[in-house]
Amino acid sequence: MNAMENAIAVVTGAGSGIGRAVAVELLRAGWSVVLAGRRAEALEETAALVPGGAALAVRTDVSRPEVVTALFAATVERFGRVDMLFNNAGTFGPGGVPVEELPYEAWRHVVDTNLTGAFLCAQAAYRQMKEQEPQGGRIINNGSVSAHTPRPHSVAYTATKHALTGLTKSLSLDGRPYRIAVGQIDIGNAATDMTAGMRTGALQANGEVAPEPVMDVADVARTVRHMAELPLEANVQFATVLATTMPYVGRG
């Protein structure tokens, strides 16, 4: 039997892509999973992928403090505690826009979703994990290889992902007295709807457009599950999972 069976996870951005894949992986492993996202229909579709799974769909805008508070209140009301948060909700923002042309509203939308949303969810999870019995839990932030190396014309996305690394480190340090383990997974070219264009052609640093390899998103989900199922005495602080031959390491 899985040691984490009946554990409670909150997965943001669970209506598609990496969030959906992770939620399905956890549900199949016996976790109870709260599916958070903007689109209620998409969340229900995720839940339906694991018939009989212990899923709760909660429509959520992670950039709004009162909505995040309601998300965690609904989680505790239904399941009694929070064992793991996968902080996954995010947006690229407008693609291919040079920095001098990026609208302020677009910058704020990316920051509010990727950074402020991650903070608000981590803060709510932290409060619950600190007070519950037994105390503690785990937070896993979805960083991205853009937390290390940018793509052209991605200033808002890259800035937020770099900031997430600082958020992860600070939360990890502050969580030590309360058995709250915090780590980050940096993902490169997982095959999702958001990355579909990379297979046909993505802008490279030298100005060329070239197709890039992708990996199965299920491989990402298994990595998140491994991180989530470690005992709280152990932590994967940072993990990088990427398509083996994507242009990232070295000069391409």
Side-chain angles (χ1 to χ4, degrees):
M1 180 179 293
N2 175 15
M4 295 300 293
E5 192 166 357
N6 298 320
I8 316 304
V10 176
V11 177
T12 67
S16 63
I18 291 168
R20 172 173 284 180
V22 169
V24 167
E25 178 74 17
L26 295 175
L27 285 166
R28 288 174 176 166
W31 286 67
S32 298
V33 181
V34 179
L35 311 170
R38 291 177 180 267
R39 298 174 295 135
E41 288 185 5
L43 299 176
E44 296 295 346
E45 290 170 2
T46 298
L49 293 173
V50 187
L56 172 65
V58 181
R59 188 175 180 182
T60 306
D61 178 350
V62 297
S63 69
R64 295 174 57 190
E66 70 279 9
V67 176
V68 172
T69 298
L71 166 66
F72 282 85
T75 301
V76 174
E77 180 180 2
R78 173 70 176 271
F79 296 114
R81 60 182 288 113
V82 177
D83 294 297
M84 196 273 284
L85 164 66
F86 181 42
N87 236 340
N88 167 73
T91 179
F92 285 144
V97 178
V99 62
E100 69 273 18
E101 298 176 12
L102 184 70
Y104 171 75
E105 293 76 12
W107 167 269
R108 279 303 305 267
H109 176 63
V110 176
V111 172
D112 288 349
T113 303
N114 294 5
L115 180 56
T116 302
F119 163 73
L120 291 173
C121 289
Q123 182 183 55
Y126 188 103
R127 287 169 172 162
Q128 173 60 32
M129 291 171 178
K130 181 180 176 182
E131 299 301 325
Q132 66 193 9
E133 292 293 338
Q135 189 183 61
R138 189 179 305 275
I139 299 169
I140 301 172
N141 293 324
N142 183 349
S144 168
V145 295
S146 289
H148 306 274
T149 302
R151 289 184 176 277
H153 306 322
S154 66
V155 63
Y157 184 76
T158 299
T160 59
K161 293 304 183 178
H162 274 66
L164 269 176
T165 299
L167 181 69
T168 297
K169 291 178 178 180
S170 190
L171 289 170
S172 183
L173 178 61
D174 292 345
R176 287 178 180 177
Y178 311 109
R179 302 189 75 244
I180 300 172
V182 185
Q184 179 171 312
I185 182 168
D186 296 324
I187 302 163
N189 286 16
T192 67
D193 290 343
M194 287 181 70
T195 60
M198 293 178 182
R199 283 168 278 188
T200 56
L203 182 63
Q204 306 297 306
N206 64 0
E208 295 180 357
V209 175
E212 294 187 10
V214 298
M215 62 179 167
D216 193 329
V217 70
D219 294 325
V220 175
R222 284 192 290 270
T223 304
V224 173
R225 179 185 164 194
H226 167 70
M227 296 170 70
E229 293 185 346
L230 287 171
L232 291 177
E233 291 73 25
N235 187 41
V236 176
Q237 189 68 68
F238 292 97
T240 303
V241 184
L242 71 167
T244 304
T245 56
M246 70 174 288
Y248 170 67
V249 177
R251 296 176 181 259

